[in-house]
């Protein structure tokens, strides 16, 4: 069994209006990255502290934008013969994610962290974003 742990962060500007969508997009992004980084992998396990995201990946039941992320993720995995599992890590146990969510951008420049841009080009959707004033567009 090969286990690799990778740490990524992303600060979108403008910020997304839905934390639920942002959490699901983070899991989707991890899946796409793992499929590209390890094309021979047959199993993929993704951990998240978002119980709603785990529920969406387990059942396929979610709001339309999140459901599209889930559907696309499973289609990508199915096309490569990858068995996907998304599991919950309680927030208090997920200290890295907690630190990333609270850290100032300049403190995120640690050598073991990498930035990423969500692969929304793979989706036929446009995520909700906030305007500069904070109101949804």
């Amino acid at each position: 069994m090969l286990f690799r742990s990778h740490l990524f962060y992303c600060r979108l500007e403008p910020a997304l209006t839905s934390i639920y969508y942002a959490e699901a997009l983070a899991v989707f992004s991890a899946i796409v990255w793992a499929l590209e980084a390890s094309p021979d992998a047959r199993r993929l396990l993704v951990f998240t502290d978002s119980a709603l995201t785990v529920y969406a990946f387990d059942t396929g039941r979610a709001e339309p934008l999140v459901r599209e992320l889930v559907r696309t993720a499973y289609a990508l995995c199915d096309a490569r013969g990858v068995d996907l599992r998304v599991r919950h890590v309680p927030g208090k146990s997920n200290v890295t994610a907690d630190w990333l969510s609270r850290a100032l951008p300049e403190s995120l420049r640690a050598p073991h962290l990498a930035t990423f841009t969500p692969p929304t080009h793979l989706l036929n959707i446009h995520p909700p974003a906030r305007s500069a004033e904070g109101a949804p567009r």
Side-chain angles (χ1 to χ4, degrees):
M1 180 170 122
L2 179 62
F3 176 78
R4 293 184 198 156
S5 180
H6 298 280
L7 304 175
F8 298 92
Y9 71 96
C10 176
R11 301 275 187 197
L12 295 176
E13 292 297 332
L16 297 176
T17 58
S18 168
I19 187 64
Y20 178 34
Y21 180 79
E23 295 278 1
L25 182 59
V27 169
F28 175 80
S29 298
I31 292 165
V32 170
W33 180 88
L35 292 174
E36 291 173 357
S38 301
D40 296 330
R42 293 294 159 242
R43 293 184 184 157
L44 177 58
L45 176 61
V46 178
F47 291 102
T48 178
D49 60 357
S50 171
L52 282 175
T53 297
V54 172
Y55 180 79
F57 274 87
D58 281 351
T59 66
R61 295 181 181 166
E63 64 182 40
L65 290 175
V66 173
R67 193 170 50 243
E68 182 63 19
L69 289 172
V70 170
R71 186 198 64 74
T72 303
Y74 275 110
L76 292 169
C77 288
D78 188 49
R80 295 189 183 195
V82 173
D83 180 31
L84 173 64
R85 299 285 188 259
V86 178
R87 295 293 176 246
H88 184 251
V89 177
K92 291 184 185 213
S93 299
N94 198 350
V95 294
T96 302
D98 186 55
W99 174 75
L100 286 171
S101 69
R102 299 174 200 291
L104 298 172
E106 57 274 4
S107 70
L108 295 175
R109 303 216 192 289
H112 60 285
L113 293 173
T115 61
F116 77 96
T117 302
T120 54
H121 65 280
L122 294 174
L123 305 168
N124 190 23
I125 58 176
H126 301 284
R130 289 190 177 137
S131 67
E133 296 80 35
R137 287 187 191 173

